[in-house]
């Protein structure tokens, strides 16, 4: 019964679905040389303003009477009063609003807003987050169409007692015409011009005029940096957490943020902003120093390289859409326009099958770092994960050849000579394999 445009709180749907659907719609417009205008409608206290009588009327259109009566039992005679110091107000009966925390509340809200009016623009809805996007060749056409849709939405909200927020509702433009980069749309809602936002946030993803995602990735990198600071607190020299604990903590704190809606922005040219912070996370897990070759970090931390993980997420998402013809996104991916702009990299160009381990091995073998002979399979967990923090860090520095030896200290400007006491060049390999004094000490 629910509209396919609604993705909120539905099985097999997620916030990523709607963000990918919106950005793919915009990308396809770029390929057609069309401009895209959008209204991001914000409802004030959306769940708290659901009109009970209106909800019962709508439910009675689709559901048996006993279901409507059951919902009425849930909502009727709900009362509240206010305590302030020694004063208590009279009891008031609620005639609108859905119970906070109720399992049924999200579904009831979806049913309440299921009959959103037909609009010239395409709707992308996730619960109470509503985006209306329209494509045209000129800005004037966009303003005319979106203003008509704004009137229809305002009338609908007025009829069903929903309250659109003119302060938080914004309009945005997406196009590749740099001469019109500062152009704004004049869209009116309930007689007031809504604010134009060049970088709107939709379901946690910051968009921009050309879909470069630079602002979003900058914000994401800043979040990861803050969480790396928390992770660093667990790495004391003598009492530091084990590699298993640090890896689990990093996946929960850092990778969860870094990979949110990755299929949307994984093809951006600014992903290095996030990768830099994730490399810092892997250095914390492994105790590796900054000059350590980057290829070593995923192997020692036992986490696939960020680029490969993102490619796999995008491929998995694209594969999940295949065969689901009821989704509006399916048509955008299956019947996309010809690739007019070769500099763009829309999601429908991504491969639909990415094996993380195979890609990881290929990348490792194509450019093996110093000491790669010590690793049989980069995708397997390296020995030593269960060692105490101090031994684990020392082991990794010997593996990678990047540690506190005179050769490295001299190169970094911390030692006058790169030579060992025995007269040879003191590298990490020399300390372990060749230096007489160190070999005797170990023996």
């Amino acid at each position: 019964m629910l509209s396919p445009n609604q993705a909120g709180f539905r099985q097999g749907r997620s916030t990523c679905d709607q963000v990918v659907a919106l950005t793919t719609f915009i990308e396809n417009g770029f390929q057609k040389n069309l401009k895209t205008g959008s209204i991001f409608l914000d409802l004030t206290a959306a769940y708290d303003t659901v009109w009970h009588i209106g909800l019962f009327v709508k439910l009675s259109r689709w559901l048996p009477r006993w279901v409507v009566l059951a919902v009425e039992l849930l909502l009727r005679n709900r009362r509240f009063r206010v305590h302030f110091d020694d004063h208590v107000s009279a009891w008031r009966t609620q005639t609108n609003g859905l119970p906070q925390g109720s399992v049924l509340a999200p579904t009831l809200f979806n049913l309440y807003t299921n009959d959103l009016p037909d609009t010239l623009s395409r709707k992308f809805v996730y619960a109470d987050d509503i985006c209306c996007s329209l494509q045209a060749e000129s800005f004037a056409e966009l303003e005319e169409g979106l203003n008509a849709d704004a009137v229809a939405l305002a009338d609908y909200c007025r009829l069903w007692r929903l309250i659109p927020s003119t302060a938080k509702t914004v309009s945005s433009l997406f196009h590749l015409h740099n001469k019109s980069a500062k152009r704004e749309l004049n869209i009116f809602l309930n007689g007031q011009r809504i604010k134009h936002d060049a970088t709107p946030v939709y379901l946690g993803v910051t968009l921009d005029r050309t879909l470069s995602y630079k602002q979003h990735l900058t914000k994401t990198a800043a979040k990861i940096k803050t969480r790396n600071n928390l992770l660093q607190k667990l790495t004391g020299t003598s009492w530091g957490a084990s590699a298993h604990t640090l890896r689990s903590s990093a996946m929960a704190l850092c990778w969860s943020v870094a990979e949110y809606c990755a299929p949307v922005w994984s093809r951006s040219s600014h992903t290095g902003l996030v990768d830099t912070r994730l490399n810092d996370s892997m250095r914390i897990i492994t105790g590796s120093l900054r000059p350590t070759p980057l290829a070593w970090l995923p192997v020692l931390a036992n986490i696939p390289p960020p680029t490969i993980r993102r490619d796999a997420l995008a491929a998995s998402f694209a594969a999940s859409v295949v065969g689901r013809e009821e989704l509006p996104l399916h048509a955008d991916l299956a019947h996309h326009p010809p690739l007019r702009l070769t500099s763009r990299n829309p999601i429908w160009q991504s491969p639909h099958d990415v094996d993380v381990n195979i890609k990881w091995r290929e990348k490792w073998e194509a450019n093996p770092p110093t000491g790669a002979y010590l690793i049989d399979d980069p995708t397997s967990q390296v020995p030593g994960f269960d060692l105490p923090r101090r031994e684990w860090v020392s082991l990794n520095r010997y593996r990678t050849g990047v540690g506190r030896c005179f050769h490295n200290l001299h190169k970094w400007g911390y030692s006058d000579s790169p030579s060992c006491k025995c007269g040879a060049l003191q590298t990490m390999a020399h300390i372990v394999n060749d230096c007489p004094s160190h070999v005797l000490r170990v023996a």
Side-chain angles (χ1 to χ4, degrees), residues 37-56:
S38 299
I39 299 175
F40 296 90
L41 182 65
D42 183 272
L43 298 176
T44 300
Y47 280 50
D48 294 334
T49 54
V50 171
W51 181 30
H52 290 173
I53 294 177
L55 176 63
F56 301 148

Side-chain angles (χ1 to χ4, degrees), residues 16 48 139 189 229 258 305 316 328 411:
C16 188
D48 294 334
F139 297 114
L189 180 65
N229 293 336
S316 175
K411 185 167 56 176

Side-chain angles (χ1 to χ4, degrees), residues 97-113:
L98 299 174
Q100 293 287 339
S102 168
V103 180
L104 281 180
T107 301
L108 293 175
F109 184 82
N110 284 350
L111 289 168
Y112 189 69
T113 57

Side-chain angles (χ1 to χ4, degrees), residues 95 123 200 210 297 301 402:
T95 58
K123 291 187 285 291
T210 62
L297 300 179
V402 182

Side-chain angles (χ1 to χ4, degrees), residues 58-182:
K58 292 186 178 187
L59 292 180
S60 64
R61 298 174 182 172
W62 305 306
L63 299 173
R65 177 173 172 76
W66 68 267
V67 177
V68 181
L69 293 175
V71 173
E72 184 179 359
L73 286 174
L74 170 70
L75 298 180
R76 74 179 180 185
N77 295 329
R78 301 185 72 89
R79 302 189 303 161
F80 67 94
R81 63 181 179 179
V82 178
H83 293 254
F84 184 76
D85 291 334
D86 296 331
H87 304 283
V88 181
S89 71
W91 285 103
R92 298 294 181 92
T93 302
Q94 288 182 302
T95 58
N96 54 274
L98 299 174
Q100 293 287 339
S102 168
V103 180
L104 281 180
T107 301
L108 293 175
F109 184 82
N110 284 350
L111 289 168
Y112 189 69
T113 57
N114 194 47
D115 58 345
L116 286 170
D118 294 333
T119 54
L120 297 173
S121 56
R122 181 166 157 182
K123 291 187 285 291
F124 303 88
V125 188
Y126 189 92
D128 60 332
D129 287 297
I130 303 172
C131 173
C132 296
S133 292
L134 181 66
Q135 291 180 339
E137 295 181 354
S138 68
F139 297 114
E141 292 178 82
L142 290 178
E143 289 180 345
E144 182 180 357
L146 290 175
N147 274 308
D149 291 345
V151 171
L153 290 171
D155 290 342
Y156 174 86
C157 291
R158 192 178 303 110
L159 176 63
W160 297 105
R161 300 190 182 183
L162 296 171
I163 306 172
S165 172
T166 54
K168 295 183 179 180
T169 299
V170 298
S171 64
S172 296
L173 269 174
F174 305 95
H175 61 85
L176 301 177
H177 300 272
N178 292 332
K179 289 184 178 180
S180 304
K182 295 184 179 180

Side-chain angles (χ1 to χ4, degrees), residues 20 30 32 47 66 75 140 225 236 243 282 302 339 374 412 425:
V20 172
F30 290 162
K32 299 175 186 177
Y47 280 50
W66 68 267
L75 298 180
K225 181 180 179 181
M282 289 187 282
N302 194 32
L339 186 65
L374 296 171
W412 301 334
L425 183 69

Side-chain angles (χ1 to χ4, degrees), residues 125-374:
V125 188
Y126 189 92
D128 60 332
D129 287 297
I130 303 172
C131 173
C132 296
S133 292
L134 181 66
Q135 291 180 339
E137 295 181 354
S138 68
F139 297 114
E141 292 178 82
L142 290 178
E143 289 180 345
E144 182 180 357
L146 290 175
N147 274 308
D149 291 345
V151 171
L153 290 171
D155 290 342
Y156 174 86
C157 291
R158 192 178 303 110
L159 176 63
W160 297 105
R161 300 190 182 183
L162 296 171
I163 306 172
S165 172
T166 54
K168 295 183 179 180
T169 299
V170 298
S171 64
S172 296
L173 269 174
F174 305 95
H175 61 85
L176 301 177
H177 300 272
N178 292 332
K179 289 184 178 180
S180 304
K182 295 184 179 180
R183 180 69 158 79
E184 296 185 358
L185 291 175
N186 292 310
I187 309 298
F188 295 87
L189 180 65
N190 289 329
Q192 298 183 35
R193 183 181 183 274
I194 61 177
K195 182 175 68 174
H196 183 89
D197 191 351
T199 56
V201 179
Y202 182 61
L203 297 177
V205 177
T206 304
L207 309 176
D208 56 84
R209 177 177 61 87
T210 62
L211 294 188
S212 70
Y213 304 107
K214 182 178 180 180
Q215 291 85 351
H216 176 71
L217 295 176
T218 300
K219 292 179 182 178
T220 302
K223 291 180 182 178
I224 300 172
K225 181 180 179 181
T226 301
R227 297 177 181 217
N228 279 342
N229 293 336
L230 296 175
L231 199 65
Q232 188 70 52
K233 303 299 182 182
L234 302 177
T235 59
T237 304
S238 58
W239 56 267
S242 68
H244 287 289
T245 301
L246 290 173
R247 183 184 182 278
S248 299
S249 301
M251 295 298 292
L253 290 172
C254 304
W255 265 261
S256 61
V257 172
E259 293 180 343
Y260 174 69
C261 279
V264 176
W265 51 264
S266 61
R267 297 162 305 283
S268 169
S269 60
H270 301 285
T271 54
L273 295 168
V274 170
D275 292 348
T276 299
R277 297 306 176 191
L278 291 179
N279 289 337
D280 291 340
S281 303
M282 289 187 282
R283 288 190 186 95
I284 294 172
I285 297 171
T286 61
S288 302
L289 299 177
R290 187 162 291 277
T292 304
L294 295 180
W296 269 112
L297 300 179
V299 175
L300 298 177
N302 194 32
I303 301 173
T307 53
I308 296 177
R309 283 178 61 97
R310 286 195 297 267
D311 290 343
L313 288 171
S316 175
F317 179 86
S320 69
V321 178
V322 175
R324 301 185 64 184
E325 298 183 0
E326 73 278 7
L327 300 181
L329 176 60
H330 180 274
D332 289 334
L333 296 181
H335 308 291
H336 58 78
L339 186 65
R340 182 180 68 90
L341 303 171
T342 56
S343 61
R344 307 294 302 183
N345 190 13
I347 190 173
W348 35 264
Q349 278 200 314
S350 301
H352 286 191
D353 185 21
V354 174
D355 188 303
V356 173
N357 290 339
I358 291 176
K359 290 289 184 182
W360 192 358
R361 293 190 190 101
E362 290 175 351
K363 185 175 182 178
W364 175 263
E365 294 169 0
N367 189 21
T370 302
Y373 66 90
L374 296 171

